[in-house]
PDB file of all heavy atoms in Angstrom:
ATOM      1  N   SER A   2     111.915 143.149 119.927  1.00 96.00           N
ATOM      2  CA  SER A   2     112.615 144.252 120.584  1.00 96.00           C
ATOM      3  C   SER A   2     113.966 143.803 121.124  1.00 96.00           C
ATOM      4  O   SER A   2     114.977 144.515 120.981  1.00 96.00           O
ATOM      5  CB  SER A   2     111.746 144.820 121.705  1.00 96.00           C
ATOM      6  OG  SER A   2     112.423 145.848 122.404  1.00 96.00           O
ATOM      7  N   LEU A   3     114.014 142.635 121.735  1.00 96.00           N
ATOM      8  CA  LEU A   3     115.269 142.127 122.291  1.00 96.00           C
ATOM      9  C   LEU A   3     116.287 141.820 121.190  1.00 96.00           C
ATOM     10  O   LEU A   3     117.463 142.186 121.304  1.00 96.00           O
ATOM     11  CB  LEU A   3     115.004 140.871 123.120  1.00 96.00           C
ATOM     12  CG  LEU A   3     114.318 141.071 124.466  1.00 96.00           C
ATOM     13  CD1 LEU A   3     113.996 139.715 125.086  1.00 96.00           C
ATOM     14  CD2 LEU A   3     115.187 141.898 125.406  1.00 96.00           C
ATOM     15  N   ILE A   4     115.838 141.124 120.142  1.00 97.00           N
ATOM     16  CA  ILE A   4     116.761 140.761 119.065  1.00 97.00           C
ATOM     17  C   ILE A   4     117.372 142.004 118.441  1.00 97.00           C
ATOM     18  O   ILE A   4     118.574 142.046 118.156  1.00 97.00           O
ATOM     19  CB  ILE A   4     116.038 139.904 118.006  1.00 97.00           C
ATOM     20  CG1 ILE A   4     115.617 138.557 118.609  1.00 97.00           C
ATOM     21  CG2 ILE A   4     116.934 139.676 116.785  1.00 97.00           C
ATOM     22  CD1 ILE A   4     114.741 137.719 117.699  1.00 97.00           C
ATOM     23  N   ARG A   5     116.553 143.018 118.238  1.00 96.00           N
ATOM     24  CA  ARG A   5     117.053 144.261 117.656  1.00 96.00           C
ATOM     25  C   ARG A   5     118.138 144.906 118.514  1.00 96.00           C
ATOM     26  O   ARG A   5     119.040 145.569 117.999  1.00 96.00           O
ATOM     27  CB  ARG A   5     115.896 145.243 117.474  1.00 96.00           C
ATOM     28  CG  ARG A   5     115.027 144.999 116.267  1.00 96.00           C
ATOM     29  CD  ARG A   5     113.866 145.949 116.266  1.00 96.00           C
ATOM     30  NE  ARG A   5     113.246 146.103 114.965  1.00 96.00           N
ATOM     31  CZ  ARG A   5     112.109 146.741 114.750  1.00 96.00           C
ATOM     32  NH1 ARG A   5     111.459 147.280 115.783  1.00 96.00           N
ATOM     33  NH2 ARG A   5     111.615 146.849 113.543  1.00 96.00           N
ATOM     34  N   GLN A   6     118.034 144.743 119.828  1.00 97.00           N
ATOM     35  CA  GLN A   6     118.962 145.410 120.728  1.00 97.00           C
ATOM     36  C   GLN A   6     120.298 144.693 120.890  1.00 97.00           C
ATOM     37  O   GLN A   6     121.271 145.298 121.346  1.00 97.00           O
ATOM     38  CB  GLN A   6     118.317 145.560 122.107  1.00 97.00           C
ATOM     39  CG  GLN A   6     117.129 146.493 122.164  1.00 97.00           C
ATOM     40  CD  GLN A   6     116.517 146.521 123.554  1.00 97.00           C
ATOM     41  OE1 GLN A   6     117.149 146.945 124.513  1.00 97.00           O
ATOM     42  NE2 GLN A   6     115.282 146.043 123.654  1.00 97.00           N
ATOM     43  N   ILE A   7     120.362 143.402 120.561  1.00 97.00           N
ATOM     44  CA  ILE A   7     121.572 142.624 120.814  1.00 97.00           C
ATOM     45  C   ILE A   7     122.810 143.225 120.154  1.00 97.00           C
ATOM     46  O   ILE A   7     123.857 143.369 120.808  1.00 97.00           O
ATOM     47  CB  ILE A   7     121.369 141.149 120.389  1.00 97.00           C
ATOM     48  CG1 ILE A   7     120.379 140.466 121.334  1.00 97.00           C
ATOM     49  CG2 ILE A   7     122.699 140.387 120.387  1.00 97.00           C
ATOM     50  CD1 ILE A   7     119.995 139.057 120.921  1.00 97.00           C
ATOM     51  N   PRO A   8     122.770 143.601 118.863  1.00 97.00           N
ATOM     52  CA  PRO A   8     123.986 144.157 118.250  1.00 97.00           C
ATOM     53  C   PRO A   8     124.495 145.410 118.949  1.00 97.00           C
ATOM     54  O   PRO A   8     125.705 145.539 119.199  1.00 97.00           O
ATOM     55  CB  PRO A   8     123.553 144.439 116.806  1.00 97.00           C
ATOM     56  CG  PRO A   8     122.442 143.482 116.561  1.00 97.00           C
ATOM     57  CD  PRO A   8     121.695 143.416 117.857  1.00 97.00           C
ATOM     58  N   ASN A   9     123.626 146.336 119.270  1.00 96.00           N
ATOM     59  CA  ASN A   9     124.067 147.567 119.912  1.00 96.00           C
ATOM     60  C   ASN A   9     124.485 147.349 121.358  1.00 96.00           C
ATOM     61  O   ASN A   9     125.439 147.959 121.845  1.00 96.00           O
ATOM     62  CB  ASN A   9     122.949 148.617 119.860  1.00 96.00           C
ATOM     63  CG  ASN A   9     122.750 149.180 118.474  1.00 96.00           C
ATOM     64  OD1 ASN A   9     123.660 149.184 117.648  1.00 96.00           O
ATOM     65  ND2 ASN A   9     121.547 149.636 118.186  1.00 96.00           N
ATOM     66  N   GLU A  10     123.759 146.473 122.058  1.00 96.00           N
ATOM     67  CA  GLU A  10     124.027 146.255 123.481  1.00 96.00           C
ATOM     68  C   GLU A  10     125.270 145.407 123.715  1.00 96.00           C
ATOM     69  O   GLU A  10     126.036 145.643 124.649  1.00 96.00           O
ATOM     70  CB  GLU A  10     122.815 145.585 124.128  1.00 96.00           C
ATOM     71  CG  GLU A  10     122.913 145.419 125.629  1.00 96.00           C
ATOM     72  CD  GLU A  10     122.764 146.715 126.395  1.00 96.00           C
ATOM     73  OE1 GLU A  10     122.228 147.692 125.808  1.00 96.00           O
ATOM     74  OE2 GLU A  10     123.179 146.758 127.570  1.00 96.00           O
ATOM     75  N   PHE A  11     125.500 144.421 122.830  1.00 96.00           N
ATOM     76  CA  PHE A  11     126.587 143.464 123.063  1.00 96.00           C
ATOM     77  C   PHE A  11     127.614 143.429 121.934  1.00 96.00           C
ATOM     78  O   PHE A  11     128.632 142.746 122.063  1.00 96.00           O
ATOM     79  CB  PHE A  11     126.010 142.064 123.283  1.00 96.00           C
ATOM     80  CG  PHE A  11     125.137 141.956 124.496  1.00 96.00           C
ATOM     81  CD1 PHE A  11     123.760 142.123 124.385  1.00 96.00           C
ATOM     82  CD2 PHE A  11     125.682 141.718 125.744  1.00 96.00           C
ATOM     83  CE1 PHE A  11     122.939 142.036 125.503  1.00 96.00           C
ATOM     84  CE2 PHE A  11     124.868 141.623 126.870  1.00 96.00           C
ATOM     85  CZ  PHE A  11     123.493 141.798 126.751  1.00 96.00           C
ATOM     86  N   GLY A  12     127.352 144.116 120.832  1.00 95.00           N
ATOM     87  CA  GLY A  12     128.300 144.136 119.722  1.00 95.00           C
ATOM     88  C   GLY A  12     128.360 142.849 118.937  1.00 95.00           C
ATOM     89  O   GLY A  12     129.339 142.594 118.230  1.00 95.00           O
ATOM     90  N   ALA A  13     127.315 142.019 119.030  1.00 97.00           N
ATOM     91  CA  ALA A  13     127.320 140.718 118.365  1.00 97.00           C
ATOM     92  C   ALA A  13     126.528 140.761 117.063  1.00 97.00           C
ATOM     93  O   ALA A  13     125.510 141.443 116.964  1.00 97.00           O
ATOM     94  CB  ALA A  13     126.728 139.649 119.287  1.00 97.00           C
ATOM     95  N   LEU A  14     127.001 140.006 116.076  1.00 98.00           N
ATOM     96  CA  LEU A  14     126.244 139.773 114.853  1.00 98.00           C
ATOM     97  C   LEU A  14     125.220 138.686 115.135  1.00 98.00           C
ATOM     98  O   LEU A  14     125.551 137.646 115.724  1.00 98.00           O
ATOM     99  CB  LEU A  14     127.181 139.331 113.730  1.00 98.00           C
ATOM    100  CG  LEU A  14     126.541 138.921 112.397  1.00 98.00           C
ATOM    101  CD1 LEU A  14     125.921 140.134 111.712  1.00 98.00           C
ATOM    102  CD2 LEU A  14     127.564 138.261 111.481  1.00 98.00           C
ATOM    103  N   VAL A  15     123.978 138.907 114.734  1.00 98.00           N
ATOM    104  CA  VAL A  15     122.906 137.950 114.962  1.00 98.00           C
ATOM    105  C   VAL A  15     122.459 137.358 113.629  1.00 98.00           C
ATOM    106  O   VAL A  15     122.234 138.094 112.662  1.00 98.00           O
ATOM    107  CB  VAL A  15     121.696 138.613 115.655  1.00 98.00           C
ATOM    108  CG1 VAL A  15     120.565 137.595 115.843  1.00 98.00           C
ATOM    109  CG2 VAL A  15     122.105 139.219 116.997  1.00 98.00           C
ATOM    110  N   ILE A  16     122.340 136.029 113.575  1.00 98.00           N
ATOM    111  CA  ILE A  16     121.766 135.346 112.417  1.00 98.00           C
ATOM    112  C   ILE A  16     120.511 134.630 112.887  1.00 98.00           C
ATOM    113  O   ILE A  16     120.551 133.837 113.826  1.00 98.00           O
ATOM    114  CB  ILE A  16     122.745 134.357 111.769  1.00 98.00           C
ATOM    115  CG1 ILE A  16     124.032 135.080 111.354  1.00 98.00           C
ATOM    116  CG2 ILE A  16     122.112 133.690 110.551  1.00 98.00           C
ATOM    117  CD1 ILE A  16     125.092 134.164 110.780  1.00 98.00           C
ATOM    118  N   LEU A  17     119.413 134.916 112.222  1.00 97.00           N
ATOM    119  CA  LEU A  17     118.101 134.421 112.631  1.00 97.00           C
ATOM    120  C   LEU A  17     117.538 133.462 111.594  1.00 97.00           C
ATOM    121  O   LEU A  17     117.443 133.798 110.413  1.00 97.00           O
ATOM    122  CB  LEU A  17     117.148 135.607 112.806  1.00 97.00           C
ATOM    123  CG  LEU A  17     115.661 135.312 112.990  1.00 97.00           C
ATOM    124  CD1 LEU A  17     115.414 134.663 114.349  1.00 97.00           C
ATOM    125  CD2 LEU A  17     114.840 136.592 112.850  1.00 97.00           C
ATOM    126  N   VAL A  18     117.172 132.261 112.036  1.00 96.00           N
ATOM    127  CA  VAL A  18     116.408 131.314 111.225  1.00 96.00           C
ATOM    128  C   VAL A  18     114.993 131.277 111.778  1.00 96.00           C
ATOM    129  O   VAL A  18     114.798 131.041 112.973  1.00 96.00           O
ATOM    130  CB  VAL A  18     117.026 129.905 111.265  1.00 96.00           C
ATOM    131  CG1 VAL A  18     116.034 128.874 110.730  1.00 96.00           C
ATOM    132  CG2 VAL A  18     118.312 129.842 110.456  1.00 96.00           C
ATOM    133  N   ASP A  19     114.009 131.536 110.944  1.00 91.00           N
ATOM    134  CA  ASP A  19     112.624 131.473 111.391  1.00 91.00           C
ATOM    135  C   ASP A  19     111.716 131.360 110.179  1.00 91.00           C
ATOM    136  O   ASP A  19     112.041 131.878 109.100  1.00 91.00           O
ATOM    137  CB  ASP A  19     112.248 132.711 112.208  1.00 91.00           C
ATOM    138  CG  ASP A  19     111.203 132.403 113.266  1.00 91.00           C
ATOM    139  OD1 ASP A  19     110.028 132.170 112.888  1.00 91.00           O
ATOM    140  OD2 ASP A  19     111.541 132.380 114.458  1.00 91.00           O
ATOM    141  N   HIS A  20     110.562 130.697 110.364  1.00 87.00           N
ATOM    142  CA  HIS A  20     109.573 130.594 109.294  1.00 87.00           C
ATOM    143  C   HIS A  20     108.588 131.754 109.325  1.00 87.00           C
ATOM    144  O   HIS A  20     107.765 131.879 108.411  1.00 87.00           O
ATOM    145  CB  HIS A  20     108.808 129.266 109.407  1.00 87.00           C
ATOM    146  CG  HIS A  20     109.614 128.077 108.975  1.00 87.00           C
ATOM    147  ND1 HIS A  20     110.025 127.891 107.675  1.00 87.00           N
ATOM    148  CD2 HIS A  20     110.098 127.017 109.670  1.00 87.00           C
ATOM    149  CE1 HIS A  20     110.708 126.774 107.583  1.00 87.00           C
ATOM    150  NE2 HIS A  20     110.769 126.230 108.783  1.00 87.00           N
ATOM    151  N   ASP A  21     108.651 132.579 110.355  1.00 88.00           N
ATOM    152  CA  ASP A  21     107.770 133.739 110.468  1.00 88.00           C
ATOM    153  C   ASP A  21     108.375 134.879 109.649  1.00 88.00           C
ATOM    154  O   ASP A  21     109.296 135.566 110.081  1.00 88.00           O
ATOM    155  CB  ASP A  21     107.627 134.139 111.935  1.00 88.00           C
ATOM    156  CG  ASP A  21     106.650 135.288 112.144  1.00 88.00           C
ATOM    157  OD1 ASP A  21     106.324 135.996 111.161  1.00 88.00           O
ATOM    158  OD2 ASP A  21     106.232 135.502 113.296  1.00 88.00           O
ATOM    159  N   MET A  22     107.856 135.082 108.442  1.00 87.00           N
ATOM    160  CA  MET A  22     108.436 136.072 107.560  1.00 87.00           C
ATOM    161  C   MET A  22     108.200 137.501 108.050  1.00 87.00           C
ATOM    162  O   MET A  22     108.988 138.404 107.746  1.00 87.00           O
ATOM    163  CB  MET A  22     107.882 135.910 106.131  1.00 87.00           C
ATOM    164  CG  MET A  22     108.336 134.645 105.441  1.00 87.00           C
ATOM    165  SD  MET A  22     110.156 134.527 105.305  1.00 87.00           S
ATOM    166  CE  MET A  22     110.515 133.330 106.610  1.00 87.00           C
ATOM    167  N   ASP A  23     107.153 137.704 108.845  1.00 90.00           N
ATOM    168  CA  ASP A  23     106.963 139.023 109.446  1.00 90.00           C
ATOM    169  C   ASP A  23     108.092 139.322 110.419  1.00 90.00           C
ATOM    170  O   ASP A  23     108.617 140.440 110.464  1.00 90.00           O
ATOM    171  CB  ASP A  23     105.609 139.099 110.166  1.00 90.00           C
ATOM    172  CG  ASP A  23     104.441 139.150 109.198  1.00 90.00           C
ATOM    173  OD1 ASP A  23     104.641 139.601 108.047  1.00 90.00           O
ATOM    174  OD2 ASP A  23     103.338 138.739 109.583  1.00 90.00           O
ATOM    175  N   LEU A  24     108.460 138.321 111.206  1.00 93.00           N
ATOM    176  CA  LEU A  24     109.575 138.481 112.136  1.00 93.00           C
ATOM    177  C   LEU A  24     110.870 138.752 111.392  1.00 93.00           C
ATOM    178  O   LEU A  24     111.617 139.674 111.720  1.00 93.00           O
ATOM    179  CB  LEU A  24     109.707 137.219 113.000  1.00 93.00           C
ATOM    180  CG  LEU A  24     110.904 137.127 113.944  1.00 93.00           C
ATOM    181  CD1 LEU A  24     110.908 138.279 114.930  1.00 93.00           C
ATOM    182  CD2 LEU A  24     110.895 135.791 114.683  1.00 93.00           C
ATOM    183  N   VAL A  25     111.143 137.957 110.360  1.00 94.00           N
ATOM    184  CA  VAL A  25     112.382 138.127 109.583  1.00 94.00           C
ATOM    185  C   VAL A  25     112.425 139.505 108.931  1.00 94.00           C
ATOM    186  O   VAL A  25     113.438 140.209 108.990  1.00 94.00           O
ATOM    187  CB  VAL A  25     112.502 137.012 108.519  1.00 94.00           C
ATOM    188  CG1 VAL A  25     113.673 137.289 107.575  1.00 94.00           C
ATOM    189  CG2 VAL A  25     112.672 135.653 109.194  1.00 94.00           C
ATOM    190  N   SER A  26     111.327 139.907 108.303  1.00 94.00           N
ATOM    191  CA  SER A  26     111.317 141.186 107.587  1.00 94.00           C
ATOM    192  C   SER A  26     111.418 142.369 108.535  1.00 94.00           C
ATOM    193  O   SER A  26     111.923 143.429 108.163  1.00 94.00           O
ATOM    194  CB  SER A  26     110.051 141.308 106.731  1.00 94.00           C
ATOM    195  OG  SER A  26     108.892 141.282 107.539  1.00 94.00           O
ATOM    196  N   THR A  27     110.975 142.187 109.784  1.00 95.00           N
ATOM    197  CA  THR A  27     111.011 143.278 110.753  1.00 95.00           C
ATOM    198  C   THR A  27     112.403 143.495 111.321  1.00 95.00           C
ATOM    199  O   THR A  27     112.821 144.640 111.536  1.00 95.00           O
ATOM    200  CB  THR A  27     110.022 143.012 111.903  1.00 95.00           C
ATOM    201  OG1 THR A  27     108.701 142.924 111.366  1.00 95.00           O
ATOM    202  CG2 THR A  27     110.054 144.129 112.931  1.00 95.00           C
ATOM    203  N   VAL A  28     113.161 142.423 111.574  1.00 96.00           N
ATOM    204  CA  VAL A  28     114.425 142.570 112.309  1.00 96.00           C
ATOM    205  C   VAL A  28     115.678 142.398 111.457  1.00 96.00           C
ATOM    206  O   VAL A  28     116.763 142.805 111.898  1.00 96.00           O
ATOM    207  CB  VAL A  28     114.487 141.592 113.500  1.00 96.00           C
ATOM    208  CG1 VAL A  28     113.342 141.826 114.452  1.00 96.00           C
ATOM    209  CG2 VAL A  28     114.531 140.149 113.041  1.00 96.00           C
ATOM    210  N   CYS A  29     115.565 141.818 110.262  1.00 97.00           N
ATOM    211  CA  CYS A  29     116.772 141.467 109.499  1.00 97.00           C
ATOM    212  C   CYS A  29     117.072 142.483 108.399  1.00 97.00           C
ATOM    213  O   CYS A  29     116.213 142.782 107.565  1.00 97.00           O
ATOM    214  CB  CYS A  29     116.620 140.078 108.876  1.00 97.00           C
ATOM    215  SG  CYS A  29     116.399 138.759 110.093  1.00 97.00           S
ATOM    216  N   GLY A  30     118.294 142.976 108.374  1.00 96.00           N
ATOM    217  CA  GLY A  30     118.713 143.884 107.316  1.00 96.00           C
ATOM    218  C   GLY A  30     119.079 143.153 106.043  1.00 96.00           C
ATOM    219  O   GLY A  30     118.780 143.590 104.935  1.00 96.00           O
ATOM    220  N   THR A  31     119.754 142.011 106.205  1.00 97.00           N
ATOM    221  CA  THR A  31     120.147 141.154 105.086  1.00 97.00           C
ATOM    222  C   THR A  31     119.542 139.781 105.282  1.00 97.00           C
ATOM    223  O   THR A  31     119.486 139.288 106.415  1.00 97.00           O
ATOM    224  CB  THR A  31     121.680 141.017 105.008  1.00 97.00           C
ATOM    225  OG1 THR A  31     122.269 142.295 104.759  1.00 97.00           O
ATOM    226  CG2 THR A  31     122.101 140.045 103.912  1.00 97.00           C
ATOM    227  N   THR A  32     119.078 139.161 104.207  1.00 96.00           N
ATOM    228  CA  THR A  32     118.525 137.811 104.295  1.00 96.00           C
ATOM    229  C   THR A  32     119.045 136.964 103.140  1.00 96.00           C
ATOM    230  O   THR A  32     119.143 137.435 102.007  1.00 96.00           O
ATOM    231  CB  THR A  32     116.980 137.831 104.281  1.00 96.00           C
ATOM    232  OG1 THR A  32     116.513 138.450 105.489  1.00 96.00           O
ATOM    233  CG2 THR A  32     116.403 136.426 104.199  1.00 96.00           C
ATOM    234  N   ALA A  33     119.394 135.710 103.473  1.00 96.00           N
ATOM    235  CA  ALA A  33     119.776 134.726 102.463  1.00 96.00           C
ATOM    236  C   ALA A  33     118.728 133.630 102.429  1.00 96.00           C
ATOM    237  O   ALA A  33     118.147 133.273 103.456  1.00 96.00           O
ATOM    238  CB  ALA A  33     121.142 134.128 102.781  1.00 96.00           C
ATOM    239  N   VAL A  34     118.483 133.101 101.230  1.00 93.00           N
ATOM    240  CA  VAL A  34     117.530 132.003 101.051  1.00 93.00           C
ATOM    241  C   VAL A  34     118.292 130.768 100.600  1.00 93.00           C
ATOM    242  O   VAL A  34     119.043 130.807  99.619  1.00 93.00           O
ATOM    243  CB  VAL A  34     116.450 132.350 100.005  1.00 93.00           C
ATOM    244  CG1 VAL A  34     115.451 131.212  99.878  1.00 93.00           C
ATOM    245  CG2 VAL A  34     115.739 133.650 100.371  1.00 93.00           C
ATOM    246  N   LEU A  35     118.100 129.662 101.339  1.00 92.00           N
ATOM    247  CA  LEU A  35     118.684 128.382 100.967  1.00 92.00           C
ATOM    248  C   LEU A  35     117.608 127.476 100.400  1.00 92.00           C
ATOM    249  O   LEU A  35     116.454 127.501 100.845  1.00 92.00           O
ATOM    250  CB  LEU A  35     119.301 127.689 102.188  1.00 92.00           C
ATOM    251  CG  LEU A  35     120.612 128.223 102.756  1.00 92.00           C
ATOM    252  CD1 LEU A  35     121.008 127.415 103.988  1.00 92.00           C
ATOM    253  CD2 LEU A  35     121.725 128.180 101.717  1.00 92.00           C
ATOM    254  N   ASP A  36     117.997 126.659  99.430  1.00 87.00           N
ATOM    255  CA  ASP A  36     117.110 125.623  98.922  1.00 87.00           C
ATOM    256  C   ASP A  36     117.963 124.459  98.448  1.00 87.00           C
ATOM    257  O   ASP A  36     118.880 124.641  97.635  1.00 87.00           O
ATOM    258  CB  ASP A  36     116.245 126.147  97.783  1.00 87.00           C
ATOM    259  CG  ASP A  36     115.200 125.122  97.358  1.00 87.00           C
ATOM    260  OD1 ASP A  36     114.508 124.582  98.245  1.00 87.00           O
ATOM    261  OD2 ASP A  36     115.076 124.857  96.155  1.00 87.00           O
ATOM    262  N   PHE A  37     117.687 123.269  98.983  1.00 88.00           N
ATOM    263  CA  PHE A  37     118.458 122.072  98.650  1.00 88.00           C
ATOM    264  C   PHE A  37     119.958 122.318  98.781  1.00 88.00           C
ATOM    265  O   PHE A  37     120.748 121.875  97.947  1.00 88.00           O
ATOM    266  CB  PHE A  37     118.110 121.574  97.249  1.00 88.00           C
ATOM    267  CG  PHE A  37     116.700 121.055  97.130  1.00 88.00           C
ATOM    268  CD1 PHE A  37     115.740 121.781  96.433  1.00 88.00           C
ATOM    269  CD2 PHE A  37     116.331 119.852  97.718  1.00 88.00           C
ATOM    270  CE1 PHE A  37     114.433 121.318  96.333  1.00 88.00           C
ATOM    271  CE2 PHE A  37     115.024 119.380  97.612  1.00 88.00           C
ATOM    272  CZ  PHE A  37     114.082 120.109  96.925  1.00 88.00           C
ATOM    273  N   GLY A  38     120.344 123.030  99.830  1.00 93.00           N
ATOM    274  CA  GLY A  38     121.755 123.230 100.122  1.00 93.00           C
ATOM    275  C   GLY A  38     122.438 124.307  99.322  1.00 93.00           C
ATOM    276  O   GLY A  38     123.647 124.503  99.459  1.00 93.00           O
ATOM    277  N   HIS A  39     121.699 125.034  98.489  1.00 92.00           N
ATOM    278  CA  HIS A  39     122.276 126.093  97.669  1.00 92.00           C
ATOM    279  C   HIS A  39     121.712 127.452  98.073  1.00 92.00           C
ATOM    280  O   HIS A  39     120.534 127.565  98.432  1.00 92.00           O
ATOM    281  CB  HIS A  39     121.974 125.862  96.183  1.00 92.00           C
ATOM    282  CG  HIS A  39     122.574 124.614  95.622  1.00 92.00           C
ATOM    283  ND1 HIS A  39     123.860 124.554  95.164  1.00 92.00           N
ATOM    284  CD2 HIS A  39     122.042 123.358  95.455  1.00 92.00           C
ATOM    285  CE1 HIS A  39     124.114 123.331  94.721  1.00 92.00           C
ATOM    286  NE2 HIS A  39     123.030 122.593  94.895  1.00 92.00           N
TER     287      HIS A  39
END
């Protein structure tokens, strides 16, 4: 709930790193996947 509110409340872009894919899929509109630096 807090992470979702940060952009509207403060106007900041948020980038989230997490291994919890439920968390990522719930709050992130765009996602990038890195592997071996690519």
Side-chain angles (χ1 to χ4, degrees):
S2 177
L3 287 174
I4 294 172
R5 281 175 160 171
Q6 293 177 64
I7 291 174
N9 287 335
E10 185 73 19
F11 297 94
L14 175 68
V15 178
I16 303 176
L17 169 70
V18 165
D19 211 288
H20 286 294
D21 184 343
M22 292 301 104
D23 288 335
L24 174 59
V25 172
S26 62
T27 299
V28 301
C29 299
T31 297
T32 293
V34 182
L35 286 178
D36 187 49
F37 293 108
H39 297 276

